[in-house]
Amino acid sequence: MKRFCACLLTALLMMSSAFAAVGVDAFVADKDENYIPIPAAYEVYTTFKNLDDYGFMNHPEDIFIGKDNLLYVADTENNRVLVMNREGVVLEEITEACGKKLSKPRGVYVGDDLSIWIADTGNLRLATLNADRTDRKAYGKPDSALLENSFTFDVQKLFVANTGYIYVLKGANLIAIDEANNFRGYLGADDVGFSLSRTLIRMFGSKSQIERTVKQEPASYSNFYIGADNMIYGILSNKETAQIRKLNSVGNNTYETKKYGFTLEDKEGKPLHPTMADITVEDNGIITVVDRITGLIYQYDQEGNLLCTFGGIGTVGGLFQIPVSIDHDSEGFLYVLDYNTGSITVFKPTHFIKLIHQAVTLHGEGRYAEALDYWQQALEIDSNYALAHQGVAKVMGKQENWEDALASYYLADDKEGYSEAFAEYRHETFRQHFVPIVLGIAVGAGKLHDDHDFGRRNAAFRNAAVFRLRAHTLHRLYADIDACFPHHGRQPNRAVRDAGGRRAGVGRAADDTRAQGNERLLRRQNGADDFPLPLHDGDDLGDGGAVVHHCSPVCGDDSRNVLRSDLQN
């Protein structure tokens, strides 16, 4: 199913007629990458590439939107930087700075004071201009013993932080320098991981083996952006997971570590892994990245949740050939620069995505009650939008309304959130009904104890009756043995019975003593304490039972059978 969805989505992206210019391509995906359509997130505001008197752009590589909402574009192959408005009207062309003609500029940045910083890559420098376009300063290779002699200052992108540090992208590395052009170190290098084979070769291999071992390079940064929170947001181009980084001041990633973007397939069935080209971060923390291979634009919140996906490869409005750079303005418009066509596409946010942005922003600020209203408005437009259900569930959780939170997590198909909410709901239910629950447990335990005690007494009573019957059987056995073998082991007169049918003299006393001893032994072994000894013919055994003497003075087969039957029972 997942492979089918990937093939279907790829086919749609490759067909220029598959997407209209207004937002029908917007979608999200669940955890299994099943694609779910959503209402239009952005619509095409305009697309332009013919700049009238300024001709066409030739392989432009960077776009930056200043605080004045103007577009600053590094038109690389034309060796210039263009300044234009949202409609594509060129207001200014910059071809030189700090005493030199620009050569292959690949990056541009505009400060809050409207100063222009240009990555003049062909001239191996940074060239800066003041707001009035007078020369400000040029930065060459920093003078540092930490940089090798072969190090070249051919930077591609740049950004200036509020701290005054200048961050530049050189190859795969983010480099920090200060205003005085001092090298301040590398930032945010990716972990190359551990390789046992490489370690063994370095330890025990010959010189030639070590030289043949390919050096394992870390994943390279393709672009970066410094947000309003002064965090550095970078993207790794040759990595399948954790492609988006949020670096703090010491270069540690604080963003959710997971896979971003979708892996599609080309016409031959080969995988198209996400290859992020550029990133931009709005003041409210909304992160937007563009994939140069599939042409898709992904948008995430600060927790790594996918808000929407749109765009693709094609020739109609809203699609691209090689999108290389993206930025936003203060009104939430997105600007995408196409390297191949030299065009700029402007996207206008729809009411639906504005609701999502507002809800995410308010929730991040802790204003949950206000966020709830925007989540509910979004659900009125699209009742299947899972992130809105998650947002409602989180608000319900903050309000400790666990029943509604469970219902919203269920609609969002969020198993982890549902489990956490259920645990809280169970705890709250037990806390509110603590006394009734404890009383119920106590009553149930008492009844169970009484039932157990009653059953134990009944079992003891039944066992006592059985033990009494067995003791009587032994008593008869001794008596009948004496009757059948009157001269075995004692004098004959000990087997003589009196007129009442009982044995008389010393023999009777010995027999009674022996029977009582056996009966007491049985009683101690089985716990029966309440039956009389000895048992005789006619004694009451309880429940209507009585001892009956079945054995005659002369032991025949019938008598032995009766004795055997009694013993077995």
Side-chain angles (χ1 to χ4, degrees):
M1 181 63 183
K2 182 177 178 180
R3 181 182 177 88
F4 172 76
C5 291
C7 294
L8 178 61
L9 182 60
T10 304
L12 292 175
L13 293 175
M14 296 301 176
M15 296 171 59
S16 61
S17 61
F19 292 92
V22 180
V24 294
D25 55 340
F27 64 93
V28 292
D30 58 19
K31 295 181 180 179
D32 298 325
E33 287 194 10
N34 296 312
Y35 305 109
I36 305 170
I38 63 172
Y42 288 85
E43 59 188 21
V44 176
Y45 178 79
T46 186
T47 300
F48 53 86
K49 62 180 180 179
N50 186 351
L51 305 178
D52 297 330
D53 295 341
Y54 296 91
F56 296 88
M57 291 185 287
N58 186 9
H59 292 165
E61 293 194 30
D62 197 23
I63 185 172
F64 190 91
I65 313 300
K67 295 296 182 183
D68 53 2
N69 278 342
L70 295 180
L71 287 65
Y72 297 79
V73 183
D75 188 3
T76 305
E77 296 297 328
N78 285 331
N79 301 315
R80 63 183 179 176
V81 172
L82 298 176
V83 183
M84 62 187 77
N85 61 19
R86 182 185 293 169
E87 281 69 32
V89 177
V90 177
L91 305 177
E92 186 178 1
E93 181 186 42
I94 301 172
T95 58
E96 66 176 276
C98 298
K100 281 187 178 182
K101 293 285 187 180
L102 298 180
S103 175
K104 302 293 189 295
R106 299 184 62 184
V108 60
Y109 166 81
V110 180
D112 292 344
D113 59 354
L114 299 183
S115 60
I116 301 178
W117 300 62
I118 303 171
D120 193 7
T121 309
N123 289 321
L124 303 180
R125 65 172 185 160
L126 295 180
T128 64
L129 301 171
N130 294 313
D132 59 0
R133 303 304 181 255
T134 59
D135 292 341
R136 179 182 178 276
K137 186 176 181 179
Y139 300 82
K141 174 185 175 181
D143 186 13
S144 174
L146 299 176
L147 298 177
E148 300 177 354
N149 294 331
S150 59
F151 179 88
T152 56
F153 200 59
D154 53 341
V155 298
Q156 299 101 8
K157 311 295 177 185
L158 78 156
F159 220 102
V160 182
N162 293 337
T163 60
Y165 274 26
I166 305 166
Y167 294 93
V168 298
L169 179 65
K170 197 272 184 198
N173 302 310
L174 278 176
I175 301 174
I177 60 177
D178 59 19
E179 176 64 22
N181 201 25
N182 295 314
F183 176 72
R184 291 297 182 178
Y186 295 98
L187 189 71
D190 189 38
D191 186 11
V192 297
F194 174 77
S195 174
L196 179 60
S197 60
R198 294 176 185 273
T199 301
L200 294 176
I201 291 175
R202 286 197 298 267
M203 292 176 61
F204 306 107
S206 63
K207 183 178 179 180
S208 60
Q209 288 176 327
I210 295 175
E211 291 175 351
R212 288 196 302 269
T213 302
V214 178
K215 184 179 179 181
Q216 190 172 4
E217 298 287 348
S220 61
Y221 285 89
S222 59
N223 221 319
F224 70 103
Y225 191 94
I226 299 181
D229 54 1
N230 292 322
M231 302 289 280
I232 300 176
Y233 295 81
I235 49 175
L236 300 175
S237 59
N238 55 341
K239 192 175 178 65
E240 296 184 13
T241 60
Q243 306 98 316
I244 301 178
R245 299 295 181 90
K246 181 180 178 181
L247 306 177
N248 56 20
S249 58
V250 295
N252 294 328
N253 179 38
T254 61
Y255 200 57
E256 179 73 18
T257 302
K258 65 177 185 179
K259 177 186 176 182
Y260 293 97
F262 306 135
T263 299
L264 308 180
E265 293 181 352
D266 60 12
K267 296 179 180 180
E268 298 177 356
K270 297 180 180 179
L272 299 174
H273 298 293
T275 305
M276 307 304 182
D278 198 8
I279 182 172
T280 185
V281 184
E282 301 182 31
D283 291 346
N284 56 12
I286 301 301
I287 301 171
T288 307
V289 298
V290 61
D291 188 331
R292 65 179 298 149
I293 301 298
T294 63
L296 291 176
I297 297 173
Y298 303 94
Q299 195 165 86
Y300 300 93
D301 64 10
Q302 284 292 310
E303 297 180 357
N305 297 311
L306 178 64
L307 305 183
C308 65
T309 306
F310 62 99
I313 298 297
T315 58
V316 300
L319 303 181
F320 321 101
Q321 292 188 16
I322 304 178
V324 68
S325 186
I326 188 171
D327 205 354
H328 71 281
D329 64 17
S330 60
E331 299 179 27
F333 282 69
L334 294 177
Y335 301 80
V336 180
L337 179 66
D338 195 314
Y339 174 83
N340 194 45
T341 63
S343 63
I344 296 176
T345 302
V346 184
F347 291 95
K348 179 182 179 180
T350 64
H351 177 63
F352 175 75
I353 200 64
K354 286 182 178 179
L355 291 174
I356 301 302
H357 290 177
Q358 193 67 23
V360 169
T361 302
L362 291 172
H363 187 91
E365 295 174 353
R367 299 157 62 182
Y368 306 115
E370 298 177 56
L372 178 61
D373 180 57
Y374 288 97
W375 286 126
Q376 291 174 337
Q377 290 184 54
L379 287 173
E380 290 178 0
I381 299 175
D382 182 7
S383 60
N384 294 322
Y385 192 66
L387 187 62
H389 286 297
Q390 283 182 323
V392 172
K394 291 178 180 179
V395 174
M396 293 296 102
K398 296 294 183 180
Q399 298 176 354
E400 296 187 354
N401 184 353
W402 301 114
E403 292 188 28
D404 289 345
L406 287 171
S408 295
Y409 277 127
Y410 179 81
L411 293 174
D413 195 25
D414 187 348
K415 297 179 181 178
E416 182 177 351
Y418 187 93
S419 298
E420 294 177 357
F422 182 78
E424 294 290 345
Y425 174 70
R426 180 178 55 199
H427 173 75
E428 183 66 18
T429 301
F430 186 82
R431 188 179 65 84
Q432 291 179 354
H433 303 87
F434 178 76
V435 175
I437 291 174
V438 171
L439 290 177
I441 293 174
V443 171
K447 187 176 184 304
L448 181 64
H449 179 269
D450 292 342
D451 292 344
H452 177 72
D453 188 59
F454 178 76
R456 183 177 59 81
R457 290 197 301 268
N458 285 346
F461 178 79
R462 290 192 299 269
N463 290 338
V466 173
F467 297 151
R468 293 168 66 184
L469 181 59
R470 289 179 177 175
H472 172 65
T473 302
L474 288 173
H475 177 74
R476 287 190 306 173
L477 177 63
Y478 289 129
D480 290 335
I481 289 175
D482 288 340
C484 293
F485 306 98
H487 301 289
H488 179 74
R490 56 184 168 186
Q491 297 298 323
N493 62 342
R494 292 182 179 178
V496 177
R497 296 179 179 272
D498 56 16
R502 298 183 184 274
R503 289 188 297 269
V506 178
R508 175 184 172 184
D511 292 345
D512 289 345
T513 301
R514 182 173 54 188
Q516 291 176 6
N518 284 282
E519 290 167 345
R520 290 191 184 97
L521 178 60
L522 287 172
R523 182 177 60 199
R524 283 195 299 268
Q525 292 175 346
N526 296 281
D529 300 325
D530 52 354
F531 59 88
L533 290 172
L535 296 176
H536 303 288
D537 295 347
D539 286 348
D540 185 19
L541 289 176
D543 296 333
V547 177
V548 180
H549 194 56
H550 298 284
C551 209
S552 61
V554 179
C555 293
D557 293 337
D558 294 338
S559 299
R560 288 194 297 271
N561 291 336
V562 172
L563 285 174
R564 187 181 300 109
S565 177
D566 288 345
L567 288 173
Q568 291 174 353
N569 294 327

